[in-house]
Amino acid sequence: MQSESARMTTAEQARFRINHPNSKPRSVKVVALDARSEAVVKRLALGQWQNASFLIAKHFDGAPRSGEGWNMKDWLSDLAGRTKDLVDEVATADLVVMIATAGANAQAAAVIAEACNVRKVMTTALIIGSESKSDEELSKSLASLRPYASMLVIAGNDDYIEAMLVALRA
Amino acid sequence: MLRKEQNDLLTQTAPGTPMGQMFRCYWIPALLASELPENECPPVRVKLLSERLLAFRDSNGKYGLIDEFCAHRGVSLWFGRNEEGGLRCPYHGWKYDVTGQCMDVPSEPVESGFCQKIKLKSYPLVKRGAVLWTYMGPPDKQPPLPEWEFAMVPENQTFVSKRLQESNWLQAMEGGIDSSHVSFLHRGDLHTDPLFKGAKGNEYNLKDMRPHFEVVEQPGGLYIGARRNAENGSYYWRITPWVMPYFTQIPPRADHPMHGHFWIPIDDENCWTWTYDFHPVRPLTPREVEALKDGAGVHFKYEPGTYRPIANKDNDYLMDRAAQKAGTTYSGVAGFASQDASLQESMGPICDRTKENLVSTDNGIIMARHRMLRAAKALVEKGTIPPGVDPEHHRVRSVSIVLPPDQAFKDGAKEALVSRLGAPQTTV
C-alpha cells in the first residue's frame, strides 16, 4: 500500500491545499533613522502596502546616555512631519523595521528598540548606502545597531527594502 | 511570500527559462566520479535541468555527456555498447563519440560522409575532486573550472555523496540557508551524531533558541551570520556562505570535517542534493570515513542500488512517533538529511510561496531570492554574467567563532571566511 507521504506529496494533491488566507495582516512600522534613509522611506511610502506605515525618527542627535530617562513621546514623526507617539506606534506594530545609512548616526535605534523591548515587538535593521562607505564606517553602523535589532541586514541596493517588505506581507 | 510569477521564475530551470539560463552559466555537479569508474564502463542516465542526457567514459578515458537518444530512431543510448572510442546504438549500430559526434552509420557508405552530418547535443564533463562537473551553457561563455575547496584538497581529505530529493531545488536550497531550524529539527542529533558531537558550539546552539541574524552581501552571494549568546557577553557566531545559486557550507563544529551542499535541479519537481565533507588540513580518519559511508552527519543511507535515501516518502521517512515523544529526535525522523528531506518534500513538488508567512529572521532567504531574481533579470535582459560563476567567488568558507559583542563578523572573521588551501578552519 502506498504510504501517506507518497500519496500526499504529488502535484495533484498540492492542488487541494486550502485556498484561504492563513494569516491576518501584520502591522509593520518602517522608521528612517537619518536624512538619507528618510528620502528612501518617503519613496517607499508611495507604493501599495497592506499594513505598513512609514515614520521618521526626528531626533537624530542627543539620544539619551545610558541611565538617563527620556520621554518617548516626541521621537517619531510621520512623513508629513506630525509628531507620533513612539509608544503608541510600537504598541500597534508586529514588526519595526529601522532603516539606517552606513556611517550615519543611528542613536535613535536605542530608543526605538527600548520601546520595542517593552512591548516584545521584533526589530529589524537595514543598513543602506554601504557601497559608498568605508568598511570602518559600515562596521561602526553594525556595532551601533547590533544591540537593538534581532535581524540586521546590509543591503547593497535600496530596492531590497521593498522586496523585503513585500516578502513579509507588509 | 513570493508572487506566483516570481515563484515560477525561480523554480523553473528547463531550457529557455530565465532561471534555466542562469543555471547554464555555472559548472554544476553532474555525477560522482565513481559512477564512471573505468574506461568502457556502462553509461549512466543523467537528467539535469530538465534535459535527459547520458554520461559515458570511452576506451581512452574521455568523459562525455550527450543527448540520451540516438539521432536515428530515438532509442535510448543507455542500451549502447561502449566500445572502441565511442558508444554504439544497439538498434542499427550508429556510433557516437564523447562530443556527440556520430562516428559511424553502418548502413551508409563511409565515403558519403553522412555520419559527419549527425551530431548529438553534448556538454563537457570534467573530473575535479570526486565529482564530474558539466557546463550546459553556450560554449563561448564557458567559465574557468570551479575551485570549490572540497574539490581541490587531496582526495583522502574529502568525501562526497549525492541523494535524490523529490522536490523542487529551491525549497531544498532554502533549507540550507535557514540556520534557525537547526535548534529545532536537528537538536536531537547534535550530541549524538559522530560528526557533530563534542563541539562547544553545540552547547551554544542548544542554550539559545532565538538566534539573532546578520545578513551581509558578498560578491558571489551572501554571508548569513547567526549569533547566539556565549560567555561574558560575547557572541557565538555561525556564518554560512551561500554562493549563487546553489552552494552552501555549514559552519564547522570542533575539529570535525567541514561540510555543505549543492542543490542541482533534475527537473522542476526533483533535485540532487549533493553533500560534501572535507577537512582542510588532514586526511579524514578511517572512523570518519566509515561514519560518512554509513550515512552519519549530513549524509544518508541509500536504498540498495540507488541514490534514493533509505528513509523516503514511500515509507513515511521511517517516522518514529515514540522517538518524537521521547525527544530522541525532534520530528520523529532520524538523521539530518532525512529530517530535512522529509519536511522539504512535504511542501509538495513545488512549494507554493504565495501562501507562506515569512518573518524577519528569514531575511537570508528573502535576500537570496532577491539576488537571484535580480541576477536572472540582468542575465536575460543584458547578458550580465551572474555572481558565483567566477572561481574567485568559490573561495569561501563557513566559520564558527566567538567574538566580542561590538565586532562585526565581517571583520572578526574576515580572513577565516576566505578559503586558502592548507589553512586550518576556524571553528568552535
Side-chain angles (χ1 to χ4, degrees), chain B residues 267-287:
Chain B
D267 52 35
D268 292 343
E269 298 189 356
N270 297 278
C271 66
W272 288 117
T273 298
W274 285 83
T275 303
Y276 60 86
D277 262 66
F278 76 103
H279 200 290
V281 296
R282 64 162 172 83
L284 302 179
T285 66
R287 186 173 287 186

Side-chain angles (χ1 to χ4, degrees), chain A residues 97-108:
Chain A
V97 176
M98 296 180 280
I99 313 292
T101 305
N105 183 345
Q107 283 180 310

Side-chain angles (χ1 to χ4, degrees), chain B residues 336-358:
Chain B
F336 291 92
S338 296
Q339 286 158 1
D340 285 330
S342 58
L343 300 191
Q344 290 157 8
E345 291 179 5
S346 78
M347 295 169 172
I350 303 174
C351 179
D352 180 356
R353 292 176 176 77
T354 65
K355 291 185 165 72
E356 68 185 5
N357 288 278
L358 298 184

Side-chain angles (χ1 to χ4, degrees), chain A residues 4-57:
Chain A
E4 180 85 357
S5 296
R7 277 190 294 119
M8 302 314 287
T9 53
T10 62
E12 189 188 8
Q13 285 298 326
R15 290 191 297 114
F16 295 105
R17 185 165 170 191
I18 290 171
N19 192 19
H20 186 78
N22 59 11
S23 61
K24 292 178 182 169
R26 276 179 279 180
S27 170
V28 180
K29 310 276 176 168
V30 183
V31 185
L33 298 186
D34 54 69
R36 182 180 182 276
S37 60
E38 181 181 330
V40 171
V41 164
K42 281 182 170 165
R43 217 166 39 241
L44 271 176
L46 299 174
Q48 296 277 322
W49 301 101
Q50 291 191 66
N51 205 3
S53 48
F54 299 87
L55 300 157
I56 299 159

Side-chain angles (χ1 to χ4, degrees), chain A residues 3 5-6 9 11 17-18 22-23 26 124 139 146 150-152 154 156-157 159-160 163-164 167-169, chain B residues 1 212-215 217 227 313-314 316 349 354-358 360 363 366 370 374 405 408 410-411:
Chain A
S3 76
S5 296
T9 53
R17 185 165 170 191
I18 290 171
N22 59 11
S23 61
R26 276 179 279 180
T124 291
S139 299
R146 185 171 299 116
S150 51
M151 168 57 81
L152 192 46
I154 301 175
N157 292 72
D159 63 357
Y160 178 66
M164 184 196 75
L168 295 176
R169 298 180 179 275
Chain B
M1 183 204 80
H212 289 54
F213 291 90
E214 288 186 26
V215 180
E217 293 192 61
R227 70 170 160 88
K313 62 163 70 173
D314 287 338
D316 283 321
T354 65
K355 291 185 165 72
E356 68 185 5
N357 288 278
L358 298 184
S360 62
N363 255 283
I366 299 169
H370 177 66
R374 225 172 50 195
K410 72 172 189 61
D411 301 326

